[in-house]
């Protein structure tokens, strides 16, 4: 059973595939595993993760873990823009 974010409507700028990728990241899947599920290259997943971050206005510094921030955004709907 897949976890579904209660806040998926908070991400209207994401495509269905981007939302699914964000969901898989939040479930702990690696880029390699996600690439297999989507039948794309790992590079394509990396690029999609970058586009997701841009869409969510996530700014990742050296002291932040991108996958943790994406997971928090998925489960809370908060992208940290108010900081």
């Amino acid at each position: 059973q897949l976890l579904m974010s209660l806040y998926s409507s908070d991400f209207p700028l994401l495509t269905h595939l981007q939302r699914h990728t964000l969901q898989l990241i939040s479930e702990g899947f690696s880029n390699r595993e996600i690439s297999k599920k989507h039948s794309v290259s790992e590079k394509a997943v990396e690029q999609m993760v970058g586009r997701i971050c841009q869409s969510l206005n996530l700014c990742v510094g050296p002291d932040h873990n991108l996958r943790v921030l994406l997971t928090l955004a998925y489960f809370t709907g908060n992208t940290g823009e108010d900081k």
Side-chain angles (χ1 to χ4, degrees):
Q1 177 180 342
L2 296 175
L3 296 174
M4 294 301 294
S5 173
L6 299 174
Y7 304 98
S8 61
S9 63
D10 288 348
F11 306 119
L13 299 177
L14 298 184
T15 66
H16 175 73
L17 187 59
Q18 288 172 331
R19 279 195 203 109
H20 188 241
T21 299
L22 182 57
Q23 176 184 343
L24 293 172
I25 289 170
S26 73
E27 292 176 8
F29 286 93
S30 69
N31 286 355
R32 183 176 184 163
E33 293 167 318
I34 294 169
S35 71
K36 289 179 183 177
K37 288 183 176 291
H38 289 168
S39 300
V40 298
S41 69
E42 284 184 64
K43 182 72 173 172
V45 174
E46 291 171 13
Q47 292 171 342
M48 186 178 308
V49 170
R51 286 191 299 275
I52 291 168
C53 289
Q54 288 176 338
S55 294
L56 299 180
N57 293 319
L58 284 178
C59 296
V60 181
D63 297 332
H64 298 97
N65 183 303
L66 173 64
R67 294 179 97 78
V68 170
L69 293 176
L70 287 169
T71 299
L72 286 171
Y74 180 78
F75 283 114
T76 67
N78 182 3
T79 61
E81 291 178 349
D82 298 331
K83 290 184 179 178

